[in-house]
């Protein structure tokens, strides 16, 4: 997967440049509200355009499962935002796009997913709320082959290079290929959950803070949680900044999207950790655009994952 690796890194780096530009100059007029009320910025659309275009140029037959679609950019109502997206995307593309090409490129992300063949999963900005708060966000791209995540690239433009120096240099790129050695990072070697630092979403609607606090208490964890948006949580655990990542159910009818977890999942596995749902089942990326048979996510070092799952089930499944 050497070619796929290089293309994915190039796509994520260019999308990261775009996001950094918008991040520095964010204004509210660049935001629209999707039906689910989550904000989408001009950067989300531009990043999806850039990644989809670069993937299409190298792998024209590979379908893409991307988060965004072009509806709010079409027609007279979408003209102002469309022009911003077009201008921004063209600053990092080698071949300039016109209006129609822009819309078609965004909508290459509409593939329904599935269990066979090669599929790219893209979150052009994971953690849009963190982006709008000028905190943590991530560009996540994964290659799934026959339902198995084989490659993940995560661009984290605002993540400190050294977690202990939060005001120092920022901007990290994480790359994982199944079974292949990169510059190795490892989860922190931990033998007891009580010593762990766990991370969770900033927004309580994304993951239950109260359940996480109960689980931490049962595990004997005394450190306050590390709260951050996006798949940066996977990255933090993978390089040892935190030890456990809990994404706990807040709605029984909510299905996780594959683009929110695919790249992070392979990163954790290659760094020595385990990713499962709260029933201790592996995440299944072969069922379409969502993880419809999985119930939320538990990430931890292989040495303590079983203990964490036991407590999670005691708190969540026995309510």
């Amino acid at each position: 997967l050497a070619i796929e690796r290089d293309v994915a890194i190039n796509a994520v780096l260019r999308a990261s440049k775009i996001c950094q530009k918008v991040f520095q100059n964010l204004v509210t007029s660049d935001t629209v509200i999707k039906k689910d009320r989550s904000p989408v910025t001009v950067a989300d659309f531009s990043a999806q355009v850039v990644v989809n275009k670069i993937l299409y140029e190298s792998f024209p037959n590979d379908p893409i499962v991307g988060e965004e679609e072009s509806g709010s950019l079409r027609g007279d109502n979408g003209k102002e935002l469309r022009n911003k997206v077009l201008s921004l995307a063209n600053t990092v593309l080698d071949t300039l796009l016109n209006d129609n090409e822009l819309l078609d490129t965004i909508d290459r992300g509409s593939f329904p997913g599935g269990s066979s063949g090669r599929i790219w999963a893209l979150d052009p900005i994971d953690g849009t709320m963190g982006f709008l708060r000028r905190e943590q966000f991530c560009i996540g791209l994964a290659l799934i082959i026959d339902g198995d995540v084989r490659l993940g690239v995560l661009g984290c433009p605002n993540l400190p290079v050294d977690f202990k120096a939060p005001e120092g240099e920022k901007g990290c790129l994480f790359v994982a290929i199944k079974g292949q050695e990169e510059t190795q990072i490892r989860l922190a070697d931990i033998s007891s959950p009580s010593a762990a630092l766990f991370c969770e979403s900033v927004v309580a609607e994304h993951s239950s803070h109260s359940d996480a606090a109960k689980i931490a208490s049962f595990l004997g964890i005394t450190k306050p949680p590390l709260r951050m948006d996006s798949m940066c949580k996977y990255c933090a655990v993978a390089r040892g900044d935190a030890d456990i990542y809990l994404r706990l159910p807040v709605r029984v009818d909510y299905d996780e999207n594959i683009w929110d977890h695919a790249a992070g999942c392979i990163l954790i596995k290659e760094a020595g950790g385990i990713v499962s749902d709260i029933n201790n089942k592996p995440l299944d990326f072969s069922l379409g655009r969502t993880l419809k048979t999985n119930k939320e996510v538990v990430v931890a070092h292989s040495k303590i994952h079983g203990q964490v799952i036991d407590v999670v089930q005691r708190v969540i499944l026995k309510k």
Side-chain angles (χ1 to χ4, degrees):
L1 297 177
I3 296 172
E4 287 85 350
R5 175 188 180 278
D6 290 347
V7 170
I9 289 172
N10 176 38
V12 169
L13 284 176
R14 292 196 193 206
S16 296
K17 280 186 186 174
I18 275 184
C19 294
Q20 282 173 301
K21 283 184 187 178
V22 180
F23 189 76
Q24 303 303 333
N25 304 290
L26 194 64
V27 292
T28 53
S29 63
D30 291 340
T31 302
V32 297
I33 301 298
K34 284 196 293 194
K35 287 177 184 169
D36 64 359
R37 307 287 301 159
S38 64
V40 179
T41 66
V42 62
D44 287 82
F45 291 116
S46 303
Q48 181 150 318
V49 168
V50 168
V51 174
N52 285 3
K53 177 78 161 62
I54 291 170
L55 290 178
Y56 181 73
E57 286 172 344
S58 295
F59 311 110
N61 297 318
D62 285 3
I64 302 166
V65 174
E67 182 171 14
E68 306 306 338
E69 53 83 27
S70 69
S72 55
L73 299 179
R74 292 182 179 271
D76 290 342
N77 289 341
K79 185 176 181 183
E80 183 183 356
L81 187 57
R82 182 172 71 245
N83 287 342
K84 288 180 180 178
V85 171
L86 187 65
S87 170
L88 195 60
N90 279 339
T91 62
V92 299
L93 288 172
D94 296 330
T95 309
L96 300 188
L97 297 171
N98 61 34
D99 267 27
N100 287 332
E101 290 167 336
L102 175 90
L103 299 171
D104 289 345
T105 300
I106 289 175
D107 288 338
R108 282 206 187 98
S110 63
F111 188 69
S115 60
S116 62
R118 290 162 53 104
I119 298 167
W120 294 90
L122 168 65
D123 197 333
I125 292 186
D126 184 35
T128 310
M129 296 303 294
F131 184 86
L132 293 172
R133 266 191 260 103
R134 289 180 167 80
E135 293 174 4
Q136 294 311 320
F137 67 97
C138 170
I139 298 95
L141 180 63
L143 175 61
I144 303 167
I145 302 177
D146 297 331
D148 184 34
V149 185
R150 299 283 297 278
L151 165 68
V153 178
L154 299 108
C156 309
N158 204 40
L159 188 68
V161 174
D162 180 355
F163 190 68
K164 296 181 178 67
E167 299 309 313
E169 184 184 0
K170 293 180 181 175
C172 303
L173 185 79
F174 296 83
V175 182
I177 299 179
K178 185 174 182 177
Q180 291 186 29
E181 193 84 2
E182 294 282 337
T183 303
Q184 192 62 52
I185 58 173
R186 284 274 170 210
L187 277 76
D189 193 12
I190 186 168
S191 55
S192 169
S194 63
L197 172 64
F198 80 89
C199 56
E200 62 184 358
S201 300
V202 174
V203 183
E205 287 81 25
H206 292 171
S207 184
S208 171
H209 289 172
S210 59
D211 285 339
K214 283 182 201 163
I215 291 163
S217 177
F218 277 129
L219 289 168
I221 294 172
T222 55
K223 296 173 184 172
L226 170 64
R227 287 181 178 159
M228 64 168 70
D229 299 279
S230 83
M231 277 188 282
C232 286
K233 293 185 285 292
Y234 280 104
C235 301
V237 174
R239 69 177 187 182
D241 299 336
D243 305 292
I244 298 168
Y245 164 30
L246 300 176
R247 189 168 175 96
L248 303 172
V250 289
R251 289 197 346 243
V252 291
D253 61 339
Y254 182 73
D255 292 333
E256 296 285 340
N257 299 303
I258 65 171
W259 54 75
D260 286 324
H261 298 283
C265 188
I266 189 171
L267 180 68
I268 290 289
K269 288 180 180 179
E270 292 302 307
I274 294 176
V275 181
S276 75
D277 70 3
I278 61 176
N279 295 304
N280 208 16
K281 287 166 50 181
L283 305 189
D284 188 344
F285 294 94
S286 71
L287 301 174
R289 292 172 69 88
T290 66
L291 300 168
K292 59 187 71 161
T293 61
N294 292 117
K295 191 172 175 66
E296 302 305 332
V297 181
V298 177
V299 178
H301 195 290
S302 54
K303 287 182 181 177
I304 63 168
H305 185 271
Q307 294 167 269
V308 176
I309 283 288
D310 287 345
V311 173
V312 168
Q313 291 181 350
R314 197 188 321 166
V315 170
I316 303 294
L317 300 182
K318 296 182 180 176
K319 279 185 173 180

